[in-house]
Amino acid sequence: MTRTIIESSTKTAIMGFDQPFTVIGERINPTGRKILNAELEAGDFSRVQADAIAQVAAGATVLDINSGAVFSNKMAEDPRYADNNFVEPDLMRQLVEKVQEVTDCPLCIDSSVPGALEAGLEAAKGRPLLNSVTGEEERLEMVLPLVKKYNVPVVAISNDDTGISEDPEVRFAVAKKIVERAADFGIPAHDIVVDPLVMPIGAMGTAGLQVFELNRRLRNELGVNTTCGASNISFGLPNRHGINNAFLPMAMATGMTSAIMNPIALPVGPKKLAEKKAEVEAAGVIIPADMDDEAFCAMFGLGSTQARAGKEMEAIRAANFLTNNDDGGAAWIRFNKPPSADGEGGRGRRGGGRRRRA
């Protein structure tokens, strides 16, 4: 049975068809996060460390670390900062070191810059996952030697020099090519984690069906583990969580063994809370003076004032149970156990289910 081993200095995450689904937390990524990007430019890693802790608490078993920041202010002073090959290696090393200060969760080193990938590999303890290689010839020649040198597993994205094909046959052929080229370097198939590329269902009605069929073929014909950017499926649509919650168990049932995703339901902020209270009061509802914000959020379906495991994590845990990858349902029961007075219990601990360890 195919098993991909990802390790920190003390913990092991096992990706496999007979294992609980591997959740790779995606939040340590400055792309599209202006505040985080600005903090990293200022040398402030406090949000990175908080995100690492929160994702592990919510159920992430691997943490993706992406160094793709843009340092606009420094760029104005020093043109070298316009080059990611200059910025990312040092930033990746710092990110890995800062995350390892607060958690021993296994890591996924994520960059398009080869120098940043190697810097992350040098700084990471254990056996991280490398993200990523594609079927492009230049990328294969740059990344596969790193995979071999450091003896780590790698994410293989199913696009090549022709770009991303909408034809699933082409994407499968690219995945097969990467597996075969990796073998030429002495890299076994169990260390290749294929990303078959999830297309937005809003733009392509067959996107879900394509991924499910690709999952089956990748499992049955190539014997490789798989991953994806889980939220891509719902891009641009309303109620994205509803689509994601359906997609993930279906993908798991067809052979997908991991996803790069946000495991956290982000907390309700003060602005949204104030707006809802004003709406309720305008409707003539009297809010008891002793009702705290958390009770108010629960009563009116807002979520929580605290970061906690998201609904996608609930769907994943249920699917683990239904596919017999949760010993006796222990993780599901623990996750849904009401908090006790001492703070124990699933939701009181923000999603306490643990993976089986090697």
Side-chain angles (χ1 to χ4, degrees), residues 199-222:
M199 305 293 191
I201 192 74
M204 181 188 297
T206 59
L209 293 173
Q210 284 190 8
V211 171
F212 302 150
E213 180 57 28
L214 279 166
N215 287 341
R216 293 186 187 97
R217 294 191 66 189
L218 291 165
R219 177 186 61 191
N220 298 334
E221 297 179 38
L222 298 185

Side-chain angles (χ1 to χ4, degrees), residues 47 55 65 68 131 139 153 157 187 217 236 260 280 282 308 353:
R47 190 180 301 270
Q55 288 183 102
I65 299 182
N131 190 8
R139 189 74 178 172
I157 302 177
I187 301 165
R217 294 191 66 189
I260 301 170
V280 168
R308 61 182 185 179

Side-chain angles (χ1 to χ4, degrees), residues 156-193:
I157 302 177
S158 298
N159 68 280
D160 60 12
D161 300 275
T162 65
I164 299 174
S165 174
E166 293 187 358
D167 185 345
E169 290 290 339
V170 173
R171 300 208 298 279
F172 178 82
V174 173
K176 185 178 180 182
K177 169 188 172 181
I178 297 172
V179 171
E180 291 172 347
R181 288 293 297 277
D184 292 339
F185 283 84
I187 301 165
H190 64 249
D191 276 340
I192 307 298
V193 180

Side-chain angles (χ1 to χ4, degrees), residues 42-97:
D44 179 0
F45 294 87
S46 57
R47 190 180 301 270
V48 166
Q49 292 186 320
D51 279 345
I53 293 168
Q55 288 183 102
V56 173
T61 43
V62 176
L63 293 177
D64 187 84
I65 299 182
N66 184 295
S67 56
V70 177
F71 291 168
S72 301
N73 294 329
K74 289 185 176 181
M75 197 185 303
E77 301 169 1
D78 186 341
R80 291 180 299 172
Y81 281 93
D83 183 1
N84 276 27
N85 291 286
F86 176 76
V87 173
E88 289 200 41
D90 186 54
L91 177 60
M92 177 64 82
R93 185 175 292 104
Q94 293 180 79
L95 286 167
V96 170
E97 290 171 350

